[in-house]
Amino acid sequence: MAASIKEVAQRAGVSLGTVSNVLNRPDIVSPQTRKRVLEAIEELGFVRNDSARQLRAGRSRTVAIVVLDVSNPFFTDVVRGAEAVVEGAGGMVVVCNSGGGASREHRHLDVLEEQRVQGLLVTPVSDGRQPRLDRMVKRGIPVVLVDRGAGLANQCSVAVDDVLGGRLAAEHLAERGHRRIAFVGGPAGLRQVADRLAGAEAALAERDLPAPHVVETPVLSVSTGRTAADEIVTLPASRRPTAIFCANDLVALGALQALTAHGLKVPDDIALVGYDDIEFAAGAAVPLSSIRQPREQLGRTAAQLLLEESTDPEHHEHRHVVFQPELAVRQSSEHKRRRTR
Amino acid sequence: MAASIKEVAQRAGVSLGTVSNVLNRPDIVSPQTRKRVLEAIEELGFVRNDSARQLRAGRSRTVAIVVLDVSNPFFTDVVRGAEAVVEGAGGMVVVCNSGGGASREHRHLDVLEEQRVQGLLVTPVSDGRQPRLDRMVKRGIPVVLVDRGAGLANQCSVAVDDVLGGRLAAEHLAERGHRRIAFVGGPAGLRQVADRLAGAEAALAERDLPAPHVVETPVLSVSTGRTAADEIVTLPASRRPTAIFCANDLVALGALQALTAHGLKVPDDIALVGYDDIEFAAGAAVPLSSIRQPREQLGRTAAQLLLEESTDPEHHEHRHVVFQPELAVRQSSEHKRRRTR
DNA sequence: CCTCGTACATGAAACGTTTCATGCGATGGA
DNA sequence: TCCATCGCATGAAACGTTTCATGTACGAGG
């Protein structure tokens, strides 16, 4: 059914190797032969079999990116950044979605390893040593951690300083006079979540403010944000936080919806700060204050490191790039009046 | 570097074929041999080479989905629906992003064809005959069109009735008393865009209302929505539309931002209806009326059709599934008072 | 004791490329 | 005229699987 090089060769009346040469080094074959071969290719609708090619070459030309959540705009922006670089270099990106599940991540990595991908950009579900990833690295498959500062010696990483981000958010709220602050996010095992919380805690502690009230969510999504806010709303007004710092914008948007549904005004009754500054944050019912991350930049840089390692593994030195987040203040945390003093 | 079956065989002291049997039909090999082989695999960190396997098998087990825009939540939801089905069947999904560009789509299809993917879900950039896709179908690669009603005889399709969707939106606005209605979206060549416009035009014509003022955008995104709205705002108040129907929610959210920035109130000065009802529509600054599509369902159904065709090409009959959209009315099109009468 | 069947292991062939050493005819210089 | 060179085409080997026909040993049934 699918024509092979052999049939093309037969049809063009040349040898098998010649066809391959036309495909890979057209310059070394004479113009007339080349023409005959190209015609044969055309007539037969020949399409190179990449499996065979890879089998011979030992490696493919596709770069995989495994994200925690395809439906989070943060990750799709990272993907687009990576795509820009990889495609600019003539490669191809495939996106895999772990959905935050360890087993799905596992399966994806299995398959990608079997496919001998050229390299891997990954935001792993769990932190700590990754025997899987280590093995891929040992096998010579470059791995770049995205949005993880892990700083392991055997791979590059690209991340944004989440501790600082958490700090920025908490400082901002503290300056606005908030004393009872809640943190919504989870699972707690997620590095991003833990770091953001840690930064917030540190900032509050330095100011002798009480530690944040933590509401853990099973995942970071709009619906878990809603649920968490529902819970917060049930607290007696005297203990209810006056501000919520959410681990990402999806959660914050969900919280915003739930708070509004319960008749609470943002920011007057409760202030809200999100994280990621996704495109939809600024357009929310109450424009959302958020911690901005250089999303596409993250993807671009990760891809560059990957390609660098891939093309010249000898001289490559693993690097750990850390970007700085920025606070974007919008209405959701803008008080009409200061609360203190 | 990468251990092969041969080395495993050597280490376990068995033949090459036996190792393969352990991998593929463990039941036909004696328990003790199996154990020895598995140990060898473990010790060597052997990972099957999928290229070789595919080369032999002639086909891979991955399904590809090529979407118009990864950063549009509509498509990520479709992707998740497809993932659920394919992974449930033991397969794997890779996502490719054409970004609406014909050349990127072309490149992706090239590579996917070379990789002999098991099947392809695709929302093509352009309509009409697709020699590329036809060729893949001829080659025996099942192709399912997503969000296209194309109705071609040689492939399945899954779509939502966009003409009806456009109609619903226009009827809704007409009932609210609007007479000057704008349509924002593009490129005009995009089937979805054209259909939605056509539906709206038909509905207005039936009511003897003037045809919509069309503002074409180069792509469907938040920023083009902003630009389009900026343009509409410059119209003299007497000719300015009182309602805008946007070809999707991204555009609508952009438009909403721009209108608000210009001091226009939605819906009082200008009503707004979007399309897709993405998760962020309900949480927008002014909750957005929109046309809801069964997004995940779309992906699930497409994947089911694909797998069906893939597993039993003989008895497969191409089908064209069309879902019905629904109108979700929210504040962005809710007038305090009727305009007519 | 022979035969047959069963339970397993074996080795070679095939999948479609790429690469590389080799072959061969023509051209140019000595 | 002969040799070196060059330009181009060739065919075989190799990549790592899977499959299948074949082989072998062993226990059971006659």
Side-chain angles (χ1 to χ4, degrees):
Chain A
M1 177 112 300
S4 75
I5 264 194
K6 198 189 295 181
E7 302 172 52
V8 173
Q10 216 158 359
R11 174 139 194 160
V14 299
S15 87
L16 206 155
T18 300
V19 176
S20 177
N21 282 335
V22 170
L23 258 29
N24 302 299
R25 292 108 88 203
D27 40 303
I28 75 160
V29 32
S30 79
Q32 65 228 22
T33 314
R34 196 190 317 157
K35 179 153 168 292
R36 278 220 313 288
V37 171
L38 289 176
E39 282 168 2
I41 288 179
E42 184 61 31
E43 289 163 15
L44 292 171
F46 165 78
V47 172
R48 224 207 228 95
N49 183 326
D50 201 48
S51 305
R53 191 233 269 272
Q54 273 183 216
L55 175 56
R56 188 86 224 301
R59 174 134 323 162
S60 89
R61 294 153 308 137
T62 50
V63 168
I65 177 165
V66 182
V67 300
L68 282 184
D69 180 9
V70 257
S71 45
N72 182 342
F74 169 79
F75 285 110
T76 60
D77 285 348
V78 173
V79 166
R80 292 197 313 176
E83 272 173 351
V85 169
V86 172
E87 292 182 8
M92 176 165 166
V93 174
V94 302
V95 182
C96 301
N97 179 30
S98 73
S103 71
R104 286 184 65 192
E105 173 181 289
H106 204 84
R107 285 195 46 207
H108 276 123
L109 293 179
D110 277 349
V111 175
L112 293 172
E113 195 173 359
E114 289 188 357
Q115 293 182 342
R116 307 287 194 267
V117 289
Q118 189 195 339
L120 185 64
L121 304 180
V122 56
T123 304
V125 170
S126 90
D127 254 313
R129 293 240 121 258
Q130 297 273 1
R132 273 230 91 57
L133 296 180
D134 282 353
R135 194 170 74 182
M136 294 182 83
V137 170
K138 289 225 186 61
R139 181 167 257 111
I141 300 180
V143 173
V144 176
L145 296 179
V146 176
D147 204 27
R148 286 293 148 126
L152 299 175
N154 60 349
Q155 54 207 220
C156 289
S157 71
V158 175
V160 182
D161 187 339
D162 281 323
V163 177
L164 174 57
R167 178 177 283 278
L168 289 175
E171 282 173 355
H172 168 64
L173 290 172
E175 274 169 20
R176 286 291 189 275
H178 294 282
R179 311 200 81 245
R180 290 199 306 282
I181 298 178
F183 176 85
V184 174
L190 249 182
R191 168 67 159 276
Q192 288 90 327
V193 173
D195 279 3
R196 290 165 197 181
L197 174 56
E201 284 173 336
L204 296 181
E206 283 169 15
R207 286 166 173 70
D208 293 324
L209 290 174
H213 170 65
V214 177
V215 180
E216 187 174 347
T217 61
V219 296
L220 297 172
S221 70
V222 174
S223 70
T224 59
R226 269 195 290 257
T227 311
D230 284 342
E231 183 180 321
I232 287 176
V233 167
T234 66
L235 291 174
S238 60
R239 292 188 43 229
R240 187 194 293 154
T242 63
I244 305 179
F245 170 35
C246 295
N248 81 3
D249 284 346
L250 298 181
V251 172
L253 291 171
L256 175 57
Q257 287 175 22
L259 294 175
T260 308
H262 284 286
L264 291 178
K265 293 267 179 269
V266 174
D268 300 313
D269 297 321
I270 294 194
L272 211 49
V273 174
Y275 208 107
D276 288 347
D277 196 22
I278 61 177
E279 195 165 24
F280 304 104
V286 178
L288 202 62
S289 296
S290 194
I291 304 297
R292 182 177 310 142
Q293 312 202 60
R295 303 183 292 274
E296 293 207 27
Q297 174 77 287
L298 215 52
R300 279 199 301 273
T301 308
Q304 274 155 2
L305 289 172
L306 187 74
L307 294 182
E308 191 184 306
E309 176 170 358
S310 177
T311 47
D312 187 6
E314 310 302 322
H315 301 83
H316 177 80
E317 301 219 340
H318 294 304
R319 266 177 292 155
H320 303 281
V321 179
V322 178
F323 292 99
Q324 305 296 310
E326 287 172 15
L327 173 67
V329 178
R330 299 203 185 83
Q331 193 186 328
S332 75
S333 64
E334 279 292 20
H335 257 290
K336 290 173 186 117
R337 58 202 146 74
R338 294 294 173 102
R339 286 211 168 224
T340 46
R341 240 148 309 267
Chain B
M1 177 111 298
S4 75
I5 263 195
K6 198 190 295 182
E7 302 171 53
V8 172
Q10 215 159 358
R11 173 139 195 159
V14 298
S15 87
L16 207 155
T18 300
V19 177
S20 177
N21 283 334
V22 169
L23 257 29
N24 301 299
R25 293 108 89 203
D27 41 303
I28 74 160
V29 30
S30 78
Q32 65 229 21
T33 314
R34 194 189 320 157
K35 179 154 167 290
R36 278 220 314 287
V37 171
L38 289 175
E39 282 168 3
I41 287 179
E42 184 61 31
E43 289 163 15
L44 293 172
F46 165 79
V47 172
R48 223 209 230 92
N49 182 327
D50 202 48
S51 305
R53 193 234 270 272
Q54 273 183 217
L55 175 56
R56 189 87 223 303
R59 172 132 327 161
S60 90
R61 295 154 307 137
T62 50
V63 168
I65 177 165
V66 182
V67 299
L68 281 183
D69 179 8
V70 257
S71 44
N72 182 343
F74 169 79
F75 285 109
T76 61
D77 285 348
V78 173
V79 166
R80 292 196 316 174
E83 273 174 349
V85 169
V86 172
E87 293 183 7
M92 174 162 165
V93 175
V94 302
V95 183
C96 301
N97 179 30
S98 72
S103 71
R104 286 185 65 192
E105 173 181 290
H106 203 85
R107 287 195 44 206
H108 275 124
L109 293 180
D110 277 349
V111 175
L112 293 172
E113 195 173 358
E114 290 188 356
Q115 293 183 342
R116 307 286 194 269
V117 289
Q118 190 195 339
L120 185 63
L121 304 179
V122 56
T123 305
V125 170
S126 91
D127 255 313
R129 293 239 121 259
Q130 296 274 359
R132 272 229 89 58
L133 296 180
D134 282 353
R135 193 171 75 181
M136 293 182 83
V137 170
K138 290 226 187 62
R139 180 167 257 115
I141 300 179
V143 172
V144 176
L145 296 179
V146 176
D147 205 26
R148 284 296 147 125
L152 298 175
N154 61 350
Q155 54 207 221
C156 290
S157 72
V158 176
V160 181
D161 187 339
D162 280 322
V163 176
L164 174 57
R167 178 177 284 278
L168 289 175
E171 283 172 355
H172 169 64
L173 291 172
E175 275 169 20
R176 287 290 190 278
H178 294 282
R179 311 200 80 247
R180 290 199 307 283
I181 298 178
F183 176 86
V184 175
L190 248 181
R191 167 68 159 274
Q192 288 91 327
V193 173
D195 279 3
R196 290 164 197 181
L197 174 55
E201 284 174 335
L204 296 181
E206 284 169 16
R207 286 168 174 67
D208 293 324
L209 291 174
H213 170 66
V214 177
V215 179
E216 186 175 348
T217 60
V219 294
L220 297 172
S221 70
V222 174
S223 69
T224 59
R226 270 194 290 257
T227 313
D230 283 343
E231 182 180 320
I232 287 176
V233 167
T234 65
L235 292 173
S238 60
R239 291 188 43 229
R240 186 195 294 155
T242 62
I244 305 178
F245 170 34
C246 296
N248 81 4
D249 284 345
L250 299 181
V251 171
L253 291 170
L256 175 59
Q257 286 174 23
L259 293 176
T260 308
H262 283 286
L264 291 178
K265 293 267 180 268
V266 173
D268 300 313
D269 297 322
I270 294 195
L272 210 51
V273 174
Y275 207 109
D276 288 347
D277 195 22
I278 62 175
E279 194 165 24
F280 303 105
V286 178
L288 202 61
S289 296
S290 194
I291 304 296
R292 181 177 310 144
Q293 312 203 60
R295 303 184 291 274
E296 293 208 27
Q297 175 77 288
L298 215 52
R300 278 198 303 271
T301 307
Q304 275 155 2
L305 289 173
L306 188 75
L307 294 182
E308 192 185 305
E309 176 170 359
S310 177
T311 48
D312 188 4
E314 310 303 322
H315 302 82
H316 177 81
E317 300 219 343
H318 294 304
R319 268 177 290 158
H320 302 282
V321 179
V322 178
F323 293 100
Q324 305 295 311
E326 289 171 15
L327 173 67
V329 178
R330 300 205 185 82
Q331 193 186 329
S332 75
S333 64
E334 280 292 22
H335 256 290
K336 288 170 188 119
R337 60 205 146 76
R338 295 292 172 104
R339 287 210 168 224
T340 47
R341 242 152 308 268

